[in-house]
Amino acid sequence: MSFRLAAYAVCVEDGRVLIARHVCADGESNWTLPGGGVEHGEDPFDAVIREVAEETGCTAVVESLLGVDSRVVPAAEARRGIKHQNVGVFYRVRITGGRLRPEPNGEIVESVWTPFPDVTALRRSSLVDVGLALARTAPATGHVGPVPVGGLVRH
C-alpha cells in the first residue's frame, strides 16, 4: 500500500471557496483544494502555506486547524492501481496577497474563487467535500464521516 501525508487549504471568503483545477498525465482533470504532499521533515503547517504559494501564486496565513482526514483508496480506484492511504491535514487559510495564476511547470492549470452552490456541479476530488464539511461544521473532534465517492466526486 502506498501512503501520502498532505496538507490542504480551505480558503473561504464571501460565500466562495478557492479551488484549483488539477490535470493528470492522462489529460483528465478535476477540481481540488490548494495543497499537497508534506515533504520529508516538513511541518504540515508550513507545507500548506508553501503549497498555496506554489499552486495559486498567492500568499496565505493559517487561521486554524480544521481537522485530519484519513482514507484508503482501493487499488481498483487508485490512479496507480495500488491500494493507497492519504492522510490529509486541513487548515482554514486566509489569502493575504498575490494574484491567482497557474502553477508554473505543475499540474494546477488554474485556481478560482467558486460560489458554494456551484461546487456541487463540478467534477471534484473528495478532498473538496471533506474540507468544506470541516469548515462548515467545525467538529470538535476534527473528523468528518466518509464522503461518498462517485458521480462527480472522485478520490
Side-chain angles (χ1 to χ4, degrees):
M1 176 183 336
S2 62
F3 175 83
R4 182 174 190 231
L5 173 62
Y8 301 103
V10 182
C11 307
V12 173
E13 182 180 287
D14 300 325
R16 304 173 303 162
V17 61
L18 181 61
I19 56 175
R21 189 162 62 92
H22 176 264
V23 177
C24 301
D26 63 6
E28 291 280 323
S29 74
N30 63 297
W31 293 92
T32 190
L33 295 172
V38 176
E39 295 175 3
H40 186 72
E42 185 179 31
D43 188 305
F45 183 95
D46 298 325
V48 76
I49 293 168
R50 175 184 52 76
E51 287 285 346
V52 168
E54 288 176 3
E55 293 182 352
T56 71
C58 293
T59 56
V61 294
V62 172
E63 294 187 323
S64 64
L65 172 66
L66 291 172
V68 176
D69 176 69
S70 176
R71 64 185 56 242
V72 174
V73 180
E77 298 171 26
R79 270 190 241 152
R80 294 184 180 101
I82 301 167
K83 189 175 181 179
H84 175 75
Q85 180 181 13
N86 189 76
V87 175
V89 182
F90 290 79
Y91 294 96
R92 182 180 305 274
V93 171
R94 182 171 40 87
I95 300 299
T96 58
R99 290 181 50 193
L100 293 176
R101 53 109 177 108
E103 179 182 20
N105 304 311
E107 298 173 342
I108 300 299
V109 296
E110 67 178 319
S111 296
V112 296
W113 288 99
T114 306
F116 292 135
D118 295 351
V119 171
T120 58
L122 299 174
R123 180 181 162 124
R124 64 197 183 278
S125 166
S126 58
L127 299 169
V128 174
D129 292 44
V130 170
L132 289 177
L134 286 167
R136 183 178 57 254
T137 62
T141 62
H143 186 265
V144 293
V147 170
V149 175
L152 295 175
V153 181
R154 304 277 186 235
H155 285 292

